[in-house]
Amino acid sequence: MEYSHYSVLLRECMEALNLRPEGIYVDGTLGLGGHSLSIAKQLTTGRLIGIDRDANAIAAAKERLADYADHITFVQGNFRDLPMILSDLGIETIDGLLLDLGVSSPQLDVAERGFSYMADAPLDMRMDTGESLTAWFVVNKWPEEKIRRILWEYGEERYAPRISAAIAARRKQAPIDTTLELVEVIRSAMPAAALREKQHPAKRSFQAIRIAVNDELGAVDALMEHAAELLRRPGGRLAVICFHSLESRIVKNAIAARENGCTCPREFPVCVCGFQQTLRSVGKKAIFPTKEEIMENPRSRSAVLRVAERV
């Protein structure tokens, strides 16, 4: 099989993880296995745990990584459950954790998955097709106010009130069954000036609904609660690629809370609040794709990599 998937910030991620050939690493968002392939190539006696919610992604990654299968354990699951996954595998300590929080190209490009606003398909958007909540249910059954809130918070859509009202009005006539039907409703709610913008008018709304369907922010928040504890070896690395400002904020704040969480007044000579630093940022700033990478893969333009190290 020929693979055209582009692994975002690949070189930067490998440098960030500071890989050890004998280490144990987790790729919590396996996708087609591009990042995992680079990790596996550097392992000798080490082990890689590749996790993804999408059964299709697991199957494709197994094929791509077949030459390194002796070093890899594949798990269909949600990275938010990583402590339980590792416990089930008998693993207590890992040396590095990588998350790429973007939607993979196959999920976007395969119309039937319902992620894309460019092709007609049933409203689905589930990363794990075994889950019950679909985009159809969100669009057709959630209260108008709840839809308005997710469009505003998850999509940062300034026309959220107009779009949610249009969705509520349209579904009274008949269910909104497909992606292009939803695009039509979104377009009808937006002013002419917004429709002339370079960005597709449905992009922010589709992003918001996808995040809600898959509870993506909740998963990131849950994992960050345990990230430091999972990286028990001093020097163990956490590398997270975010594509959404809310995800990035969760990761940034979680690292900061474990790096600078002391609440004592500055004039105190020693800490008395009980804070113990567990993470520290690697580098003073977040890492962004180079101009060359963005030209080669335009989907990488909104990516930001945050790296932290176990203290």
Side-chain angles (χ1 to χ4, degrees):
M1 180 182 294
E2 189 68 26
Y3 296 95
S4 59
H5 176 63
Y6 191 105
S7 300
V8 174
L9 290 162
L10 180 61
R11 176 182 57 80
E12 292 84 350
C13 285
M14 296 306 104
E15 292 176 356
L17 288 173
N18 195 23
L19 293 162
R20 303 164 63 225
E22 72 281 8
I24 299 177
Y25 295 91
V26 173
D27 183 346
T29 48
L30 180 63
L32 286 183
H35 291 104
S36 281
L37 179 61
S38 290
I39 294 172
K41 285 179 177 179
Q42 299 184 53
L43 299 181
T44 53
T45 58
R47 186 177 180 187
L48 171 64
I49 315 301
I51 303 170
D52 205 286
R53 300 174 69 174
D54 190 336
N56 293 333
I58 294 285
K62 282 183 176 180
E63 183 177 342
R64 186 178 192 182
L65 299 169
D67 291 343
Y68 304 92
D70 291 347
H71 296 291
I72 305 173
T73 300
F74 297 93
V75 178
Q76 184 183 355
N78 192 328
F79 62 72
R80 74 183 301 155
D81 301 320
L82 185 56
M84 183 174 65
I85 291 171
L86 293 177
S87 177
D88 289 345
L89 294 173
I91 298 173
E92 296 183 358
T93 303
I94 63 175
D95 296 279
L97 169 60
L98 172 66
L99 297 177
D100 176 354
L101 300 178
V103 180
S104 70
S105 295
Q107 288 171 330
L108 289 172
D109 296 338
V110 177
E112 306 88 78
R113 301 298 299 273
F115 286 101
S116 175
Y117 42 77
M118 301 299 290
D120 205 21
L123 274 174
D124 195 319
M125 299 193 197
R126 290 173 296 173
M127 291 183 177
D128 179 356
T129 55
E131 296 290 339
S132 59
L133 182 62
T134 65
W136 186 95
F137 192 89
V138 170
V139 169
N140 289 285
K141 299 298 183 181
W142 277 15
E144 177 184 340
E145 174 56 27
K146 192 172 182 180
I147 294 175
R148 184 204 64 77
R149 181 177 59 79
I150 66 167
L151 296 181
W152 179 263
E153 293 182 4
Y154 299 168
E156 298 175 319
E157 174 55 74
R158 61 186 181 278
Y159 300 111
R162 299 174 62 155
I163 295 171
S164 58
I167 289 173
R170 173 66 176 272
R171 70 190 188 187
K172 287 181 181 178
Q173 303 170 15
I176 302 169
D177 290 325
T178 71
T179 51
L180 291 191
E181 286 177 12
L182 179 58
V183 169
E184 177 192 341
V185 175
I186 294 169
R187 284 183 179 275
S188 72
M190 301 179 78
L195 297 177
R196 290 193 294 269
E197 293 178 0
K198 185 177 181 181
Q199 180 172 273
H200 193 285
K203 179 178 180 179
R204 290 184 291 267
S205 294
F206 269 60
Q207 170 184 280
I209 295 167
R210 186 204 79 222
I211 289 173
V213 167
N214 297 289
D215 190 23
E216 294 175 30
L217 298 181
V220 175
D221 195 34
L223 179 64
M224 292 304 297
E225 282 292 316
H226 302 288
E229 289 71 28
L230 295 172
L231 296 166
R232 294 181 183 177
R233 180 184 66 81
R237 294 286 183 90
L238 166 71
V240 185
I241 305 173
C242 300
F243 292 81
H244 187 285
S245 60
L246 294 180
E247 293 170 341
S248 185
R249 195 175 305 135
I250 289 172
V251 175
K252 179 181 179 181
N253 290 344
I255 293 172
R258 290 154 182 77
E259 182 174 23
N260 305 305
C262 177
T263 58
C264 297
R266 290 187 177 182
E267 60 269 19
F268 277 28
V270 295
C271 174
V272 296
C273 71
F275 171 73
Q276 290 185 327
Q277 181 182 3
T278 53
L279 290 176
R280 62 168 168 245
S281 299
V282 175
K284 294 182 179 180
K285 297 182 179 180
I287 300 168
F288 299 91
T290 61
K291 292 181 179 179
E292 292 75 17
E293 177 171 350
I294 294 172
M295 288 181 64
E296 187 173 350
N297 177 31
R299 286 178 178 171
S300 70
R301 63 184 176 275
S302 57
V304 54
L305 172 63
R306 298 189 180 278
V307 186
E309 183 176 73
R310 173 73 193 207
V311 175

